Amino acid sequence: MGDDKKPKSGVWPTVKPFVNGGASGMLATCVIQPIDMIKVRIQLGQGSASEITKNMLKTEGVGAFYKGLSAGLLRQATYTTARLGSFKILTTKAIEANDGKPLPLYQKALCGLTAGAIGASFGSPADLALIRMQADATLPVAQRRHYKNAFHALYRIVGDEGVLALWKGAGPTVVRAMALNMGMLASYDQTVEFFKDNLGFSEATTVLGASAVSGFFASACSLPFDYVKTQIQKMQPNAEGKLPYSGSLDCAMKTLKSGGPFKFYTGFPVYCIRIAPHVMMTWIFLNQVQKFEKSIGL
């Protein structure tokens, strides 16, 4: 996942994986944000991708596709910084414990699961703000929250609902992140090794190919959990003050009963188009950031 040389001592080698991970994730988010907005609207039942795109352009303008960008960037600055940084540290420690030998796939998967949980715990407040900002225009006018930016959203959530509300839906968020990162991180490292050692691919081809594989597995593993997470985070009480779901398990069971298992894969093509390129660009940006740092001696 990066430089194979032994890390140098000091503060920078320790924080470097976290800085690189956050920077690459934020750059990828700037490109993917419009697709992410469409994905959320599909999951909220607003229609097909083409219908949503036409309607948004007609009624809300181009700027609507970037609503919640500040929350998306804040999420990457917390979530991706933590998950990619911790994954690098975990795999480095595991390789050291394995006498320098490459890790088997199951150990990479465990590192990915752990890194995903760590990242989601840090990124859950920003993720909640992002979902609410993206879903706001779909609510009745009287129920809209009108958050100005990510920090205003966090301030309002704390003021209106309390500090713990920042982690509303954190359970499914963490589970989704564990599934996504198990698919994304383990498959990327495994594919890089296979392309390099068995097929002799060049660096550019290896990064591109491994990124594509990583994106697919990240999408396939995480969408069911993402669907439940989105439903929990955007739910509103009815006229009697009762929420539609008591929790993520209740949401999953009601969804399974009403729509069957494929209901969890609502919007999969758009989700895959959104997740896979983001994963690919995160790895590509990370590779370029690492090359740049190496060129200037960092």
Side-chain angles (χ1 to χ4, degrees):
M1 206 183 91
D3 200 348
D4 293 330
K5 296 179 181 179
K6 284 188 176 182
K8 300 176 183 178
S9 60
V11 176
W12 173 242
T14 302
V15 302
K16 181 179 177 180
F18 295 92
V19 173
N20 291 352
S24 59
M26 292 172 76
L27 288 169
T29 292
C30 290
V31 180
I32 293 300
Q33 183 68 15
I35 301 176
D36 190 41
M37 171 63 80
I38 295 171
K39 182 268 297 183
V40 170
R41 295 284 182 97
I42 289 176
Q43 289 184 328
L44 295 178
Q46 298 299 302
S48 67
S50 60
E51 291 171 343
I52 290 170
T53 302
K54 291 177 182 178
N55 186 55
M56 287 178 67
L57 285 172
K58 183 179 179 180
T59 61
E60 302 175 60
V62 177
F65 291 95
Y66 285 92
K67 193 167 187 177
L69 178 60
S70 60
L73 293 175
L74 179 61
R75 180 176 181 271
Q76 293 301 317
T78 52
Y79 168 59
T80 299
T81 295
R83 64 174 175 146
L84 291 187
S86 59
F87 181 72
K88 179 64 177 177
I89 289 176
L90 288 169
T91 53
T92 298
K93 295 294 184 183
I95 289 172
E96 289 176 0
N98 201 33
D99 297 324
K101 299 176 183 177
L103 299 178
L105 181 59
Y106 81 92
Q107 289 187 6
K108 293 174 184 174
L110 288 174
C111 289
L113 284 169
T114 305
I118 293 171
S121 298
F122 280 98
S124 187
D127 191 58
L128 175 63
L130 174 62
I131 291 294
R132 287 192 175 185
M133 290 176 73
Q134 289 179 325
D136 203 45
T138 69
L139 298 174
V141 176
Q143 296 182 9
R144 293 180 186 177
R145 300 179 174 97
H146 302 293
Y147 297 143
K148 298 176 182 177
N149 53 55
F151 295 103
H152 180 240
L154 297 177
Y155 174 79
R156 283 271 307 280
I157 291 170
V158 171
D160 297 343
E161 306 169 50
V163 175
L164 293 181
L166 292 173
W167 280 270
K168 183 180 288 185
T173 297
V174 170
V175 173
R176 172 207 181 253
M178 291 173 69
L180 185 149
N181 284 281
M182 179 185 69
M184 171 185 172
L185 301 175
S187 65
Y188 181 80
D189 268 17
Q190 191 72 20
T191 307
V192 165
E193 289 179 9
F194 178 75
F195 283 177
K196 277 186 176 180
D197 300 339
N198 296 77
L199 302 180
F201 284 2
S202 65
E203 179 185 359
T205 305
T206 295
V207 171
L208 186 61
S211 298
V213 172
S214 176
F216 173 79
F217 278 103
S219 303
C221 291
S222 65
L223 180 55
F225 303 101
D226 183 80
Y227 181 88
V228 172
K229 175 184 71 71
T230 300
Q231 300 305 310
I232 291 294
Q233 288 183 326
K234 65 92 178 179
M235 64 181 177
Q236 290 271 1
N238 59 21
E240 290 76 32
K242 185 179 179 181
L243 292 171
Y245 309 113
S246 60
S248 56
L249 181 60
D250 182 50
C251 176
M253 294 305 296
K254 287 181 177 177
T255 300
L256 184 64
K257 185 177 180 180
S258 64
F262 290 108
K263 181 67 174 178
F264 293 104
Y265 282 89
T266 299
F268 179 73
V270 172
Y271 183 79
C272 192
I273 290 171
R274 184 266 174 195
I275 290 293
H278 190 281
V279 168
M280 290 178 67
M281 282 185 286
T282 297
W283 289 126
I284 292 169
F285 278 129
L286 179 58
N287 180 259
Q288 293 302 310
V289 168
Q290 290 173 332
K291 288 173 69 174
F292 172 75
E293 288 173 344
K294 187 176 181 181
S295 70
I296 62 176
L298 287 178

